Each structure stands twice: as C-alpha cells, then as structure tokens.
Amino acid sequence: MREEFEISIHAQVSQIAQADWDACACPETADGGRALDPFTTHRFLAALEASGSVGEGTGWRAQHLAASVGGRLVAVAPLYLKTHSQGEYVFDHAWADAYERAGGAYYPKLQGAVPFTPVPGRRLLCRPGLEEVGRAALLQGLGQLTVQNGLSSAHLTFCSAEEAEAAAAQGWLHRTGLQFHWENRGYASFDDFLTTLASRKRKALRKERQKAQAFGGTIRALTGAEISDLHWDAMWAFYQDTGARKWGRPYLTRAFFDALHDMRDDILLIVAEREGRPVAGALNFIGRDALFGRYWGCVEDHAFLHFELCYHQATDWAIAQGLARVEAGAQGEHKLARGYLPVTTHSVHFIAHPGLRRAVADYLEQERAAVAEEVSDLAEMGPFKAG
C-alpha cells in the first residue's frame, strides 16, 4: 500500500462513525459475536466521554488519531492530552518530577490508552490486513504531533507486544510490567482446576471458598436482563468506597454506570447479597475469549469475600462459558496463590527531549531486566503441581 496517509485529530470519538471506528477496533464483531477487547470499542469510549468521566476538567482531553487513505479510514488510536498522570497504571511520576526539576514542562503529554483501564490490548487499531502500514502511520503521526506542539512526550500504555516492537523500530522506548492472568487449560469445572494444584494450595483454596460463602447471604452471577437499576446503584456505592480508599476520588462518574446498563449483555456482575441487600460486588466485562475483572467494592467486610467474588467466581464462570482466560486487573501478588500467573505487559514512550530520553532509556533497560527476573521467579512460585 503506497498511498499517502492523511492524519486527523478528533476531540470526540463521536466525530468518527461507529462503523468505521469498530472496523478497526473490533472487526471480529462482523459475525455478530463479542469484541475481543470491549474497551477500545466505539461505544465504551463514547460512554466515557458522554458521562463526563473524561473531558473538560478531568485532565483527559480526547485527541483521537485517525489515519485515512483516499478518504477511507484505515487506522485509529484512542488518544488523550493529559495534564497529570492519574488513572494510567504505568507510573511516570518520577520522570515528570525529574524533568520539571531540570526546568522542563512534562505536562501536557499525549497518552494513547483506555482511561482508567489497565487491560493489555491493541492501541493502534487497524483494519485487517493493514496492520503494519497503519501502525507505522499512527506512530509517525504521534511523534510529529508531539514535536510540533512542543510536548514532552507521547505514551502508549498496555499496548500489544507487536505494537511495542513496531514502536521500538521507530525509536520509541520500550517498557515492561507484569500482571496476573488465569488461563483455562480445558478445565471441565472449578474442581477440575483444583486438581492441578499442589495439595496444600488446593486445601487452602477450598477452605477459603467455604469461609467466604458462609458470610450469611447468597452470591449471584448476573448478566444481561438479570441486571437491574438496583444493581447499578449498589455497584456505584461499592465503586465510590473503593475509589475513595485507593485514589482519593473515584475516576468514573455516576452517569458512566448508567451508560453501562446499555452494555449489560457484555457485563457480568457477581453480587453478594445479605437480607435482600447487595453488600459486595465485582464488575466484569465479557470479551470474546476472556473475562475482564474491573471494579470491586463492599459496604460490609467479610473474610475472603473479595477473593471469592473477584477471582474464584470469575474463574468458575469462565470455565462454564469456555473462556480462555481471566484478566483481573493491575498488580496483586495475592492472585498467584489463586491460580493467576504472571504475564508481561508492554508500553512504549516517545520522549522528545534528548537528555530526558537518555535518562529514561537507561532506567528502562534496568527495569526490563528486573521485570523479566520477577516474572520468572513468580512463575516458579505458582500453586500448580510440579511439572
């Protein structure tokens, strides 16, 4: 494909037709099935914008990138102009502090990401068959946008390994991290999964589940029409409580949870109820071959209920539905004992200032080696039987 690309910037995802965006983001849905990645779909990003979770006053200003050839959209990237580093889960606060101490202005910066969503996936979304040229065009456009506007940097966080490789070939800096994902190895049931664990670990998880399920109520897995307004009211209360304790203030607005009601066929709520009232819950998104755990919260504390709702129930449901894996969010070595093993995540960074770039490059070289060693060490500590 030798045509010249036209790069455009869009202040709202609604400025791009949903069919065109999704032809790049989730072409697999053409058969009527689910998206592999529900978070880069047009409707998810539009819900963030329409609900005020991103936009004016949030520090996340949409600058979505689009590449077209002959008037036909062939690639897009969810992109934001950021005035802080909150809600990204790939921490660059030390880079910002160092650059500003040296007299530079780190913010604003460009962030290619799904806001508040540490789920690995594609960030350079291309029509099938045009991945190589589409990625190259978007990366070049991002670099030029950064330099031409005098910005310090551009970042693609939780991108795919292929995108990281393509960006590194254009001189971007590669960063790795780790998460814990559960893999379905063809299990027929949760008990079948337990048989693959070492005896001590298997007994510990059985006791943990028994204690959690004895909290004095019932646990239900809800999706589609089973989810009512009552459940969104409860999930909002849970989310506020968790957000206030973790981040100081919740990132998402109440209106975003209302918007999720329109996506309820692709959502799994695991709710603990006591005396007819939801007391804890976990919100998951359902992908084509994975379950993505996103938000948890409670208004009552019960032993092991967090692990039951967020991990064991999610694993159980994924096995029943034949899903390949469960991704339970950022960080958390406590997931290891519950069968969630370490995987490497990727991000790439375009640093405009030569001095800052050198310092970051040196740091990332050491960090990559440390992450690789940690992933290897943690994998050996997993709960599975030897061999």
Side-chain angles (χ1 to χ4, degrees), residues 15 43 188 262 265:
Q15 294 176 355
R43 67 174 183 167
D262 293 332
D265 288 341

Side-chain angles (χ1 to χ4, degrees), residues 17-101:
Q18 182 171 353
D20 286 337
W21 181 281
D22 286 347
C24 301
C26 52
E28 67 277 0
T29 59
D31 66 4
R34 300 186 195 275
L36 285 166
D37 181 352
F39 305 106
T40 54
T41 61
H42 190 280
R43 67 174 183 167
F44 184 85
L45 297 172
L48 287 174
E49 294 176 8
S51 67
S53 299
V54 299
E56 192 67 32
T58 68
W60 291 82
R61 196 173 86 192
Q63 300 279 276
H64 303 308
L65 216 57
S68 303
V69 175
R72 178 175 181 251
L73 189 76
V74 297
V76 293
L79 183 65
Y80 300 86
L81 191 68
K82 290 294 306 295
T83 56
H84 53 64
S85 290
Q86 277 75 53
E88 297 167 10
Y89 301 92
V90 176
F91 303 110
D92 62 349
H93 300 95
W95 305 356
D97 291 343
Y99 193 47
E100 289 172 0
R101 283 199 304 269

Side-chain angles (χ1 to χ4, degrees), residues 182-328:
W182 179 86
E183 181 183 351
N184 188 350
R185 301 175 182 175
Y187 303 119
S189 65
F190 192 89
D191 280 341
D192 190 21
F193 156 63
L194 286 180
T195 63
T196 66
L197 305 186
S199 175
R200 183 170 59 86
K201 299 292 187 180
R202 182 168 62 249
K203 291 177 181 177
L205 288 194
R206 283 194 171 125
K207 288 182 179 178
E208 181 174 284
R209 294 204 73 180
Q210 289 171 357
K211 289 179 180 178
Q213 292 173 8
F215 76 98
T218 59
I219 297 172
R220 295 200 294 157
L222 309 173
T223 189
E226 298 170 315
I227 301 173
S228 70
D229 291 340
L230 168 70
H231 299 114
W232 293 122
D233 290 339
M235 286 307 305
W236 171 244
F238 301 154
Y239 174 75
Q240 280 188 302
D241 176 71
T242 301
R245 285 186 282 109
K246 283 191 173 182
W247 314 305
R249 69 175 183 85
Y251 294 132
L252 300 171
T253 65
R254 180 66 178 86
F256 179 77
F257 282 78
D258 291 334
L260 289 182
H261 193 64
D262 293 332
M263 305 181 202
R264 61 193 179 277
D265 288 341
D266 294 323
I267 286 174
L268 171 69
L269 291 185
I270 300 172
V271 181
E273 299 175 342
R274 198 167 68 84
E275 297 177 355
R277 168 174 166 260
V279 297
L283 186 154
N284 305 265
F285 283 80
I286 309 167
R288 178 169 287 230
D289 58 10
L291 185 66
F292 302 95
R294 290 305 304 118
Y295 307 113
W296 140 270
C298 63
V299 292
E300 293 182 1
D301 291 324
H302 297 280
F304 302 115
L305 195 58
H306 170 251
F307 299 142
E308 176 66 19
L309 268 58
C310 292
Y311 309 128
H312 304 318
Q313 289 282 333
T315 300
D316 210 346
W317 197 86
I319 292 171
Q321 299 299 316
L323 298 180
R325 67 188 187 281
V326 179
E327 299 187 18

Side-chain angles (χ1 to χ4, degrees), residues 317-378:
W317 197 86
I319 292 171
Q321 299 299 316
L323 298 180
R325 67 188 187 281
V326 179
E327 299 187 18
Q331 294 133 5
E333 290 188 15
H334 58 276
K335 298 169 187 171
L336 190 65
R338 292 155 184 93
Y340 289 68
L341 294 181
V343 299
T344 302
T345 61
H346 303 272
S347 62
V348 288
H349 310 269
F350 179 91
I351 308 294
H353 189 278
L356 180 61
R357 175 187 165 78
R358 284 193 298 271
V360 170
D362 290 343
Y363 170 77
L364 292 182
E365 183 176 0
Q366 299 175 49
E367 186 185 51
R368 285 194 300 272
V371 168
E373 183 176 1
E374 185 176 10
V375 168
S376 178
D377 290 345
L378 287 170

